[in-house]
Amino acid sequence: MKNELILILDFGGQYNQLIARRVRECNVYSEVVPYNISIEKIKEKSPKGIIFTGGPSSVYSENAPKCDARIFELGIPILGICYGMQLMTNVLGGSVKKAKTREYGATEVNIDTTSPLFKGFESTNQFLMSHTDFVETVPEGFKNIGSTSSCPNAAMENQDKKLYGIQFHPEVNSSINGTQVIKNFLFNICKCSGDWVISSFTKDTIEKLREKIGNGKALCALSGGVDSSVAAVLLSKAIGKNLTCIFVDHGLLRKNEGDEVERIFRQQFDINLIRVNAQDRFLSKLAGVVDPEKKRKIIGEEFIRVFEEEAKKIGKIDYLVQGTIYPDVIESGLGKSSVIKSHHNVGGLPEHVDFKEIVEPLRDLFKDEVRKTGLELNIPESLVFRQPFPGPGLAIRIIGEVTKDKLDILKEADSIFREEVDKAGLARDINQYFAVLTNLKSVGVMGDERTYDYTVALRAVKTTDFMTGVWYKIPYEVLEKVSSRIVNEVNHVNRVVYDITSKPPATIEWE
Ligand code: XMP
């Protein structure tokens, strides 16, 4: 059975993913697509409804993103949010104007509660407004269904054509009962049934993969992270031993992590697993290298080489499995923001492995949905809720040259930090935390002896998207315990400092 679908046309607004989330939280499957998607493609996808996101442009500017005007003739319900409402107005013959001042913030909106979009609401409700342009006159056939003190047309509808526009953002938390507006659109207007759940996704995906791959052979690069692990287990449930996983252990993982990954996949899931212990190889490539971007590049390339060598030994394969998830694939059609660090997951695509096709079973899921799928598949919580770990691993947490000795020091210090955070019950609340081995040596005293040893920095951040974040206020007693354990238990460390910088201006990782 085909899932009900809501298509979200992305006009470059900062909340586009959030809209997709809200729709899925209502158990309706949604996809964000570029605003210029063709009419044919839309028809092919046959959505139950379409949402236009907001965006930074003005409908009158030269390069304003516009969709195919025939979209309004398809008979599919459309909800235009902010810029989306202005675009609908512009295309259908109403007028949009620039206000003298921007309206920003949570604002009282008067609404017409007889509209199916506002069913169940009081006559005023607080929503987030964030705009300069506004709809001066609604297009013919439309009715005003909302206003604020400075915006005459904060909402509009054409019930016959099932077209709706709202100037405010129902998807953000500062809009009160915002999700109810989305629910009303999905259930009162698009007539969705809301039967999309993760367990049906898991079951359907396994069946579809089985059908597609048949007796073919698949290969998966396993990193021990959540995404590749869930992808591998899905594939293994579908095709059993016709899946081979290659786990390239570059030796830059956290303490005991490599063994743990091997244990889970070999013992619990009985997956065909090849573990390559390649620490020496990576360390020799990294010898003398101090530049962070160079380290990333070397590790990425070497990773692919090792993977290719192992893949060749297996012989012909048909499918290459990738753990790509939804936020990795969303393309706004409006270009991407600038690159601060080359964040590509280690691996990329091997050039010298012969395969027919790539399979990406998690392409449509958000991170928390991937986690739910992982739990459905009985993957241990320690792996499902593992904090993000960068592909280049500890190499970008050791400032300066990476050596075996430094790696050993960092693994011990990091493991103590993680253990104490866990004991303090903070593990799920801090989104990412780790130790960094700085390149700084300083003087200390231990017993009656002078020491001259390394400084370890502790980093912990609270974030939802990892694009911005604030440093986490770990209680002093926990920091005290961590510091005293590290200097006492880890050789060659005589000082511990705590990083109290948020992102921006600092990044989460030190390199
Ligand atoms: P930054 O340091 O840019 O990190 O604030 C944001 C998030 O991305 C992770 N990160 C990486 N992940 N390869 C990865 O796969 C990388 O080269 C890389 N660099 C940073 C970082 O751990 C954090 O979660």
Side-chain angles (χ1 to χ4, degrees), residues 482-499:
V482 175
S483 161
S484 112
R485 277 196 61 196
I486 290 178
V487 290
N488 280 307
E489 295 174 34
V490 186
N491 284 334
H492 305 295
V493 178
N494 66 358
R495 196 178 292 271
V496 176
V497 296
Y498 189 42
D499 182 348

Side-chain angles (χ1 to χ4, degrees), residues 296 340-346 388-392 396-397 432 434 466-467 503 506-511:
R296 277 198 173 76
I340 312 288
K341 295 177 187 178
S342 43
H343 270 197
H344 307 292
N345 278 329
V346 163
F389 186 67
I396 55 164
R397 294 178 180 170
Q432 200 169 3
F434 50 86
F466 297 87
M467 308 285 282
K503 173 182 179 177
T507 51
I508 296 173
E509 302 288 348
W510 274 38
E511 285 198 336

